[in-house]
Amino acid sequence: MLRNQDQILSKIANNDGHGENSAFFDGCKAYDSDPYHPTLNPNGVIQMGLAENQAVARFMEKVRGNRVRFDPDRIVMSGGATGAQETLAFCLADPSDALLTNIFLACRNDRDLTWRTGIELIPVVCDSSNDFKMTRDALENAYKKAQESNTKVKGLLLNNPSNPLGTVLDRESLSMAINLINDKNIHLICDEIYSATVFDEPGFISIAEILQESPDSNPELIHIVYSLSKDLGFTGFRVGILYSYNDDVVACARKMSSFGLVSTQTQLLVASMLSDEEFMQKFLADSAARLCARRGALCQGLA
């Protein structure tokens, strides 16, 4: 699909200020051009760093019911979901550009996404009569008002499952979001950090699943933010995940990831834990059961 990345990505993503064309980074690039193999290339360069993307990709698939597949090469690790979201904001938008989002997320993410990037969050009006879903009309109205104020909208930010509402987006809402961003040629960032906390119907549907069913949509506009903090109670280890279907965003995010690296020790621990399928299956089942019981106790107490 033809596209103009200069227009849909930020100036940071399109410039060469990252400095990786210097001699300092030549050693890092040597592995890519001459990787070691015990029999095919015994004199090649050995990669001593740990990037446990394979284990993370398989875990993300498991959480989503194995209905989608994730490419480990499209995963960028970050210091928590906050770091992943900010990295995406730097890649996609310039200062004074804006993202559309619901009013609850605009309040919760205001500092995380706007402070250092200089972008704006434009709240979309939601109503309790339909469980605070963002409708196409509400999104169009917010987009139109932004244009009238000469604000460039670069994307739509969704949170699914929702914090603080505790709701999940249905297939219709997710399809509407993909149709909108394709029509406007803007990005869709889907924050899915609560994917495995859904313990009741309706179940969680990932934007990746909807994209898989939408052959006419542009995957280069879709980006997912994930984390192990919520689903695994792994908050203090600061493991955030950025997954993008856009090659240029992945490349830029990798360059920026050096400002918020996940430690080698943490990566090793994560890979070991996520690779233990028996443990992970029991952990997720126990977690869902406990969340359900605690919700019941809370609702009973409030009643």
Side-chain angles (χ1 to χ4, degrees):
M1 180 177 292
L2 295 175
R3 83 270 197 238
N4 188 340
Q5 295 286 45
D6 290 342
Q7 294 180 355
I8 67 172
L9 299 184
S10 68
K11 293 176 182 177
I12 286 180
N14 286 310
N15 71 30
D16 60 356
H18 48 75
E20 289 196 9
N21 49 6
S22 68
F24 179 81
F25 288 96
D26 287 347
C28 300
K29 298 174 183 176
Y31 173 79
D32 294 328
S33 59
D34 187 25
Y36 166 83
H37 189 278
T39 56
L40 300 179
N41 190 21
N43 295 319
V45 178
I46 297 175
Q47 172 60 276
M48 299 297 286
L50 282 174
E52 307 301 350
N53 293 2
Q54 184 77 30
V56 171
R58 299 293 81 84
F59 176 70
M60 289 175 65
E61 293 169 358
K62 182 186 294 291
V63 167
R64 289 154 183 80
N66 290 313
R67 295 184 297 272
V68 293
R69 290 289 175 265
F70 291 106
D71 181 355
D73 292 335
R74 294 194 171 279
I75 289 176
V76 180
M77 306 287 279
S78 174
T82 299
Q85 283 192 334
E86 187 186 56
T87 297
L88 261 180
F90 273 121
C91 291
L92 304 182
D94 295 314
S96 78
D97 289 345
L99 299 177
L100 301 176
T101 189
N102 72 54
I103 192 167
F104 303 102
L105 204 56
C107 294
R108 192 171 66 82
N109 284 49
D110 184 51
R111 185 185 72 100
D112 295 353
L113 281 172
T114 67
W115 184 25
R116 298 199 298 182
T117 63
I119 69 169
E120 299 178 34
L121 293 180
I122 299 178
V124 178
V125 176
C126 304
D127 194 282
S128 60
S129 63
N130 66 344
D131 293 329
F132 299 102
K133 292 179 182 178
M134 284 192 294
T135 64
R136 178 73 186 240
D137 286 344
L139 286 164
E140 291 283 4
N141 288 336
Y143 186 87
K144 181 180 179 181
K145 289 181 179 179
Q147 287 186 312
E148 291 172 350
S149 64
N150 293 319
T151 299
K152 188 174 184 178
V153 176
K154 294 299 292 288
L156 168 63
L157 173 63
L158 298 180
N159 181 215
N160 181 39
S162 171
N163 177 13
L165 296 175
T167 56
V168 291
L169 293 177
D170 56 26
R171 194 173 296 274
E172 181 182 5
S173 298
L174 293 169
S175 296
M176 179 273 292
I178 285 185
N179 291 334
L180 175 90
I181 61 109
N182 275 280
D183 291 344
K184 306 295 185 187
N185 195 35
I186 60 176
H187 297 274
L188 175 58
I189 302 172
C190 210
D191 176 350
E192 298 185 347
I193 66 172
Y194 290 94
S195 305
T197 62
V198 179
F199 51 81
D200 202 354
E201 295 297 332
F204 167 72
I205 302 173
S206 173
I207 195 67
E209 189 173 344
I210 304 301
L211 179 61
Q212 197 170 257
E213 301 168 356
S214 310
D216 295 331
S217 63
N218 182 2
E220 294 185 338
L221 299 174
I222 309 292
H223 321 278
I224 297 173
V225 171
Y226 188 53
S227 166
L228 303 185
S229 298
K230 314 303 183 187
D231 287 350
L232 298 182
F234 222 53
T235 307
F237 288 85
R238 308 305 300 151
V239 181
I241 295 139
L242 183 163
Y243 188 93
S244 177
Y245 293 89
N246 188 307
D247 292 341
D248 293 320
V249 170
V250 172
C252 180
R254 286 206 194 288
K255 296 178 179 71
M256 297 186 72
S257 67
S258 60
F259 296 100
L261 293 172
V262 180
S263 73
T264 299
Q265 293 85 348
T266 300
Q267 290 190 49
L268 181 61
L269 173 62
V270 166
S272 176
M273 179 179 65
L274 297 183
S275 299
D276 188 338
E277 295 191 8
E278 182 178 352
F279 167 77
M280 290 310 308
Q281 184 173 350
K282 184 177 187 306
F283 181 94
L284 292 176
D286 289 349
S287 177
R290 291 175 180 176
L291 284 170
C292 184
R294 290 184 180 185
R295 179 189 183 277
L298 177 62
C299 290
Q300 184 179 6
L302 290 173

